[in-house]
Amino acid sequence: MFTRNVCSLSARRSVSHCNNTKARLVHSDVTIIGGGIMGSSLAYHLADAHAKLNIKSNIRVIEKDSSYAKASTALSVGGIRQQFSTPENILVGQYGYEFTQNIEKHLSVGDWVPNVNWTPGPYLYLASEKGIPILQSNHEAQIKLGVPAKLIPHEKLAEVFPWMNPEGIACASVTTEGEGWVDPFSLLIAFKKKAQSLGVEYINDEVVDMKTNDKSIKSVHLKAGNEITCSENSAVVNCAGVFSTHLMNMIGLKYPVEHRKRYVYIFDSGKPLPSHLVIDPSGIYWRNEGKYFIAGLTPPDDAACDPEDFEVDHSLFEELVWPHLANRVPSFESVKLMNAWAGHYDYNAFDYNAIVGKHPDVSNLFLLNGFSGHGLQQSPAMGRGLTELMVHDKYQTLDLSCFSVERWFQNKQLLESNII
């Protein structure tokens, strides 16, 4: 179904590499394509599991941008939360929190102890009258799994959050602990450094093509001209984030992951507020960032974008973000925009949830992408889970089978209502 020659029409831009007789051939037991937060978490968990089980293997991570300047991880806001609507996402979020609180136990290397600048800050979800049923349903699911969340009715909002204008808010959900944010780049580098200490090799290069036979990937071709050979017993893992679909297209497969651009605005109000990440019914969120604040939103014209488009639309702050901020928080009526940036979600356009597991039609292909903005906080549990599947052929801690790509084939959505 997906067999193709590496020098076929769709791969002509890499023809020069096909004819490179000096190309270096190497074999990998595991080839992880994408060295961002997911690829590095998997690399660490897999190498750690192999070491504990005395499994000798070579694990290679291919990352085309070792600076991570445009990586989704580095351009994220680093949030970690437990307030989701689906049980699996709640459990994954809880492990993400537990992992970061014990990071020195997991990711220290010799005398080096990682510091990811953990900042505690509860997520505060605000709901209009229309949003109450969803908020209550989510709350019930969270309480069943031990999330320390509570609902606050409209009449109590001014007392609990005196800095906020409660007009139009019927109810709010907030945690008492277990949520906050980290420095994204520091967490990524901690995963990478630990993985390398366990023998994982990072290759600064770009995958330009892959060869297949009728049922598995035979080789991975790199832009520099080198070739990584694979067998049916080896594994290739698509951790390419926003480029996941591009990678799947190389072997003739369609895929639902798209580039979606998101903006983050840094502003100063001159007045401090308690540490929260607030999600307004409008879809706009904001939180503390040192002495400043950051805010963001899903653009009104949200659609798949050019992978090289990182231009910021400042007009959205002036026309949409700031008016909502000023209405909700009186101290935001006068603010100064300090800076802004754009980053990309690896957005699963099918149901906004992760795709994790083994591909049913390609025997040695595994998938770890489509996190739709939740990648950083879900990286500890997802890296651990896919490692279990790859090593033991089954999930052992959290059952992540609901995230299988087969739900897309079967048109069975796994919808998450708490999307930011």
Side-chain angles (χ1 to χ4, degrees):
M1 178 176 67
F2 58 91
T3 303
R4 57 188 291 278
N5 186 280
V6 74
C7 292
S8 65
L9 181 63
S10 61
R12 281 184 181 173
R13 65 176 181 166
S14 60
V15 165
S16 60
H17 305 306
C18 305
N19 299 320
N20 187 347
T21 57
K22 297 181 180 179
R24 183 169 69 100
L25 296 177
V26 295
H27 176 77
S28 281
D29 297 306
V30 181
T31 303
I32 299 173
I33 304 175
I37 196 77
M38 279 300 161
S40 293
S41 173
L42 176 63
Y44 152 66
H45 282 97
L46 200 55
D48 185 55
H50 284 185
K52 290 175 179 176
L53 294 170
N54 198 28
I55 297 174
K56 294 183 178 180
S57 64
N58 55 68
I59 302 171
R60 291 186 171 90
V61 179
I62 314 301
E63 172 54 50
K64 67 178 182 177
D65 178 17
S66 58
S67 73
Y68 298 105
K70 296 181 178 180
S72 296
T73 301
L75 297 173
S76 73
V77 299
I80 294 176
R81 60 184 167 107
Q82 301 181 38
Q83 292 185 77
F84 286 93
S85 64
T86 58
E88 292 81 6
N89 279 332
I90 294 170
L91 292 167
V92 166
Q94 288 175 327
Y95 183 69
Y97 170 69
E98 176 189 330
F99 186 93
T100 55
Q101 299 312 292
N102 297 281
I103 196 166
E104 69 284 349
K105 169 186 170 184
H106 299 290
L107 301 183
S108 293
V109 178
D111 294 332
W112 180 79
V113 178
N115 177 12
V116 295
N117 297 310
W118 168 257
T119 301
Y123 277 58
L124 173 58
Y125 281 87
L126 307 179
S128 63
E129 193 72 37
K130 183 180 178 181
I132 285 182
I134 293 177
L135 196 71
Q136 290 179 331
S137 176
N138 294 348
H139 181 72
E140 291 172 5
Q142 293 157 13
I143 293 300
K144 286 180 181 178
L145 293 172
V147 177
K150 58 182 179 179
L151 294 180
I152 302 173
H154 173 81
E155 56 269 21
K156 291 287 187 179
L157 289 175
E159 176 186 342
V160 180
F161 308 110
W163 46 267
M164 182 177 71
N165 169 21
E167 181 182 358
I169 303 302
C171 191
S173 174
V174 66
T175 51
T176 56
E177 62 178 342
E179 295 184 320
W181 45 91
V182 299
D183 175 64
F185 189 74
S186 296
L187 181 57
L188 166 57
I189 295 305
F191 270 128
K192 180 177 180 179
K193 189 168 185 175
K194 182 65 174 183
Q196 289 175 313
S197 75
L198 293 170
V200 175
E201 179 186 0
Y202 276 70
I203 300 173
N204 183 20
D205 209 336
E206 179 180 356
V207 174
V208 293
D209 216 336
M210 295 186 287
K211 277 186 177 180
T212 64
N213 58 25
D214 288 338
K215 57 182 179 179
S216 66
I217 295 172
K218 294 171 57 180
S219 59
V220 176
H221 296 255
L222 306 182
K223 192 173 184 178
N226 297 322
E227 177 183 336
I228 297 175
T229 61
C230 314
S231 68
E232 291 184 16
N233 295 322
S234 61
V236 176
V237 190
N238 183 345
C239 292
V242 294
F243 294 99
S244 295
T245 293
H246 175 66
L247 207 65
M248 301 298 277
N249 292 165
M250 289 180 183
I251 54 175
L253 296 176
K254 294 181 179 180
Y255 207 56
V257 176
E258 301 176 352
H259 293 255
R260 294 292 180 95
K261 189 163 67 167
R262 295 292 182 266
Y263 305 111
V264 181
Y265 303 96
I266 306 174
F267 65 95
D268 183 16
S269 72
K271 300 176 182 178
L273 288 176
S275 183
H276 289 91
L277 193 152
V278 186
I279 303 93
D280 191 74
S282 63
I284 293 169
Y285 72 86
W286 68 90
R287 71 160 171 81
N288 311 65
E289 179 67 17
K291 66 177 182 178
Y292 300 126
F293 297 89
I294 62 173
L297 80 166
T298 299
D301 58 345
D302 188 30
C305 68
D306 187 310
E308 296 302 320
D309 179 10
F310 289 88
E311 184 176 352
V312 176
D313 186 346
H314 290 87
S315 69
L316 284 180
F317 182 82
E318 300 167 2
E319 298 170 5
L320 287 178
V321 178
W322 176 72
H324 279 285
L325 294 175
N327 176 65
R328 188 62 61 210
V329 183
S331 64
F332 288 167
E333 289 181 356
S334 178
V335 301
K336 180 180 180 181
L337 183 62
M338 307 299 292
N339 206 341
W341 76 84
H344 290 171
Y345 279 5
D346 63 325
Y347 190 84
N348 177 2
F350 175 63
D351 63 6
Y352 331 120
N353 255 317
I355 299 175
V356 183
K358 193 171 186 177
H359 196 286
D361 298 326
V362 189
S363 64
N364 61 352
L365 175 61
F366 292 83
L367 307 169
L368 190 61
N369 48 58
F371 288 90
S372 306
H374 304 140
L376 181 137
Q377 61 189 298
Q378 296 193 332
S379 60
M382 296 300 189
R384 180 186 66 174
L386 189 56
T387 289
E388 293 168 354
L389 186 66
M390 294 173 70
V391 173
H392 304 288
D393 202 31
K394 63 179 180 179
Y395 295 113
Q396 296 188 313
T397 48
L398 299 180
D399 184 1
L400 304 179
S401 57
C402 65
F403 297 108
S404 168
V405 72
E406 293 191 56
R407 73 183 192 274
W408 178 50
F409 300 151
Q410 299 166 2
N411 198 30
K412 295 180 179 179
Q413 291 180 314
L414 175 68
L415 292 173
E416 169 61 54
S417 61
N418 273 10
I419 298 292
I420 301 176

